[in-house]
């Protein structure tokens, strides 16, 4: 473990923010030099997987178990700016359960009618008790113009919510929807600059619009 981790341990203020809002933003999580290494790898894997699955260049796609596809991404597991905040929230008995790369191309954006409905990660992960943190790293700017993630702040305080199977008319890229989700929290756009990261609890309602 990099001794620099000790310089980035979660502060009392950060812990309070995470427990209150359900998420935390980590600025300058990784340097531009690492971003410059990660982006070409992501582009290469994206091209290979699209060819394998027969996906068009404008399709939104999730590449699962992505972190093990190149050693450069394995370096993120104990990143000194984020790892100490994760263990500060969850404790030391932790492991990586799931990883994926989200790609939302802007080619032919007018043709895209998909979105990600409000959902909780805990509904997809068979973990008991529910205690997980998602680390979302931006290797490109993510804002309201290109379908950044959205949170319903405070919604995690309502616990595990009832969901239903999404209908085709919702154009949801996942398969779960929470009815009238906005009643559970305050909508917040998770705007991130390249190299920034957000952490959110698995009970926080989140989703995104089309790019």
């Amino acid at each position: 473990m990099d001794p620099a981790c000790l310089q980035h341990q979660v502060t009392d203020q950060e812990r309070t923010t995470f427990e209150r809002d359900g998420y935390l933003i980590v600025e300058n999580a990784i340097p531009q030099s690492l971003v410059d290494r990660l982006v070409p790898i992501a582009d290469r894997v994206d091209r290979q997987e699209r060819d394998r699955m027969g996906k068009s260049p404008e399709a939104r796609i999730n590449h699962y178990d992505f972190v093990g596809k190149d050693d450069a991404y394995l370096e993120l597991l104990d990143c000194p700016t984020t790892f100490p905040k994760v263990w500060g929230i969850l404790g030391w008995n932790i492991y990586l359960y799931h990883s994926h790369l989200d790609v939302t191309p802007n080619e032919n954006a007018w043709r895209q009618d998909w979105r990600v409905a409000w959902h909780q990660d805990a509904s997809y992960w068979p973990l008991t008790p529910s205690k997980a943190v998602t680390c979302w790293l931006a290797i490109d700017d993510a804002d309201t113009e290109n379908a950044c993630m959205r949170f319903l702040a405070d919604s995690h305080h309502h616990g595990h919510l009832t969901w239903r199977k999404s209908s085709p008319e919702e154009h949801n890229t996942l398969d779960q929807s929470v009815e009238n989700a906005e009643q559970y929290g305050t909508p917040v756009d998770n705007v991130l600059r390249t190299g920034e990261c957000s952490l959110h609890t698995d009970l926080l309602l989140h989703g995104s619009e089309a790019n």
Side-chain angles (χ1 to χ4, degrees):
M1 185 180 69
D2 190 334
C5 284
L6 299 179
Q7 303 173 22
H8 300 282
Q9 296 183 79
V10 65
T11 66
D12 290 342
Q13 181 177 353
E14 288 173 334
R15 188 187 307 278
T16 297
T17 297
F18 185 85
E19 292 176 352
R20 181 191 65 218
D21 300 333
Y23 69 94
L24 178 68
I25 305 300
V26 182
E27 298 179 349
N28 302 312
I30 62 172
Q32 186 62 46
S33 58
L34 180 52
V35 173
D36 292 341
R37 292 173 56 204
L38 298 178
V39 170
I41 298 168
D43 290 342
R44 170 175 55 80
V45 173
D46 182 52
R47 288 193 300 269
Q48 293 172 344
E49 290 299 298
R50 285 177 190 276
D51 289 344
R52 183 181 66 82
M53 294 185 288
K55 293 286 188 178
S56 64
E58 68 267 15
R60 178 175 189 150
I61 190 169
N62 292 336
H63 302 296
Y64 294 102
D65 299 320
F66 181 79
V67 75
K69 294 185 181 296
D70 194 280
D71 288 348
Y73 276 87
L74 288 175
E75 295 177 23
L76 298 175
L77 292 182
D78 59 355
C79 177
T81 56
T82 57
F83 186 42
K85 299 192 187 303
V86 173
W87 89 55
I89 293 169
L90 294 178
W92 274 102
N93 187 17
I94 56 178
Y95 68 98
L96 175 66
Y97 175 77
H98 171 73
S99 68
H100 62 108
L101 171 71
D102 285 344
V103 182
T104 57
N106 60 5
E107 290 90 346
N108 301 320
W110 61 273
R111 295 174 52 191
Q112 300 175 1
D113 56 4
W114 40 252
R115 57 189 293 271
V116 179
W118 295 117
H119 67 282
Q120 295 173 305
D121 291 336
S123 295
Y124 290 92
W125 300 339
L127 302 176
T128 303
S130 176
K131 188 178 182 182
V133 168
T134 294
C135 181
W136 198 101
L137 174 68
I139 58 173
D140 193 8
D141 290 348
D143 54 35
T144 56
E145 295 299 316
N146 66 352
C148 68
M149 195 186 320
R150 305 187 73 213
F151 296 137
L152 286 178
D154 309 334
S155 58
H156 61 301
H157 294 299
H158 295 276
H160 198 179
L161 298 169
T162 300
W163 55 271
R164 59 165 175 77
K165 285 287 185 180
S166 303
S167 65
E169 292 75 24
E170 293 177 90
H171 303 290
N172 183 16
T173 58
L174 301 179
D175 61 356
Q176 296 182 10
S177 298
V178 175
E179 293 281 8
N180 303 314
E182 289 83 355
Q183 68 179 305
Y184 296 112
T186 304
V188 176
D189 293 318
N190 185 32
V191 175
L192 297 177
R193 301 277 72 84
T194 300
E196 293 184 336
C197 167
S198 66
L199 307 174
H200 69 264
T201 173
D202 58 349
L203 289 175
L204 187 72
L205 282 165
H206 60 288
S208 64
E209 298 298 331
N211 183 3

